[in-house]
Amino acid sequence: MSRLAGQRIVLGISAGIAAYKSAVLARLLKKAGADVRVVMTEGAQAFITPLTLQALTGEEVRTSLLDPQAEAGMGHIELAKWADIVLIAPASADVMARLAAGMADDLLTTLCLAARARCWLAPAMNQAMWSHPASQRNAATLRELGWQQLGPDAGEQACGDVGGGRMMEPEEIVAALDTELSGNAEHNGALPLDASPEHDDHAPTPDAFMAHAPTAAGPLAGCHVVITAGPTREAIDPVRYLSNHSSGKMGFALAEAARDQGARVTLISGPVTLATPAGIHRVNVISAMEMLEAVNATLADCDIFIGCAAVADYRLEEVAEHKLKKVPGSTALTLNLIENPDIIAAVTHREQPPFTVGFAAETRELARHAHDKLVRKRLDLIVANDVATPGLGFGADDNAAVLYHLAASGSEAAVTSHTLSPRAKRALAQALLDYMLPLYRAHQPTRSPAAP
């Protein structure tokens, strides 16, 4: 049974084209057994009608703070007390800014201030708006206030732009909520604030309200760690693509390990079947170009970048509009490929790059290829592993690695190595971060001069 069964959810809908997805989201939440009541901003009603949401939820949709009938019973306070969960999807740049500022100028923002529920939001806006420092600052403020962020994804947007800012798909939002509740069962259903009948029995404690705030302690406290994970897919036609065997397990293990050490973690993942770890902001992408856009959107306040994803080196010069058909009499197919952008190099060649860790999955000459990549891409640390070893690497639960970095002198000839023996990927991730920490703290000028 879904953990959402019996949960009382206020679904907030703000203005944006992604509001059409909220109808599907409401239906899926009801299907999972949740009791759903919808609150819409004035702008949201320009994109989807309250009648649609009322038909899907079986409940009257609330749209006005100053509704005389509702306000007779302090309706916004009643609704805030009723909710176990407040979910805003889509969350526009405007509503995020107002929430971050503590404003209460409509029904949605007012009940959010009054609610003691677990709070989630799914951002949705143009990629330029999402990457703007003001939006990133507001998102960070909301995380500090206890809001858990779902997405956004990266990809093609309604306006024709490509980049971060797409609202997560409704199915992914429901799955993420169910996973979060399963991973935090002790906060599921709320304890009363005290034994007095004046308090609502479903209002969470302050600790429960802050359950999703960034961890305050640990060696990486205060750090924003960005991690890429999984494969990318490069479309050939609408039904075929080029990809690789990466499962994403190593990148997800690193995200959990960084979170446990107090970091605020952004996990940018290619298509994998793994659930989002609790307390981690996940961005889903498909192609290398989408991953680059998502990475660029995080770098303004990134302290540590770990490029664990297996990014495709090439993509189709032109993706076929329709499925390619076999040509009678032909025994070969020629695909014209062009080089994808080098995401790691794009990070390290910035004017002020973050501390950067790269990965090298090799099948032969591990040390030579890792050393070349370390210097050529100006990495602070590289994690090399032999994916040809049975039981290790792609798709496996275990892994082993050799860590390489330039010595304190910065000489390209003076490379230090450290071997991590085979172990579970979660344990390997912890060992890798433990080894990385002194290097990060020193942040030695180990990068070689920029490649010509």
Side-chain angles (χ1 to χ4, degrees), residues 291-309:
M291 184 169 283
L292 176 63
E293 292 281 353
V295 167
N296 285 337
T298 69
L299 293 180
D301 67 343
C302 173
D303 300 296
I304 298 171
F305 179 82
I306 303 177
C308 189

Side-chain angles (χ1 to χ4, degrees), residues 8 34 45-46 49-50 86 122 135 140 147 152 173 183 195 206 220 251 269 298 341 352 380-381 383 427 434 437:
R8 302 191 294 196
Q45 298 169 62
T49 67
V86 173
S135 296
W147 285 83
I173 291 175
L220 289 176
S269 176
T298 69
Q352 292 184 312
D380 293 295
L381 178 68
V383 183
D434 289 344
L437 274 169

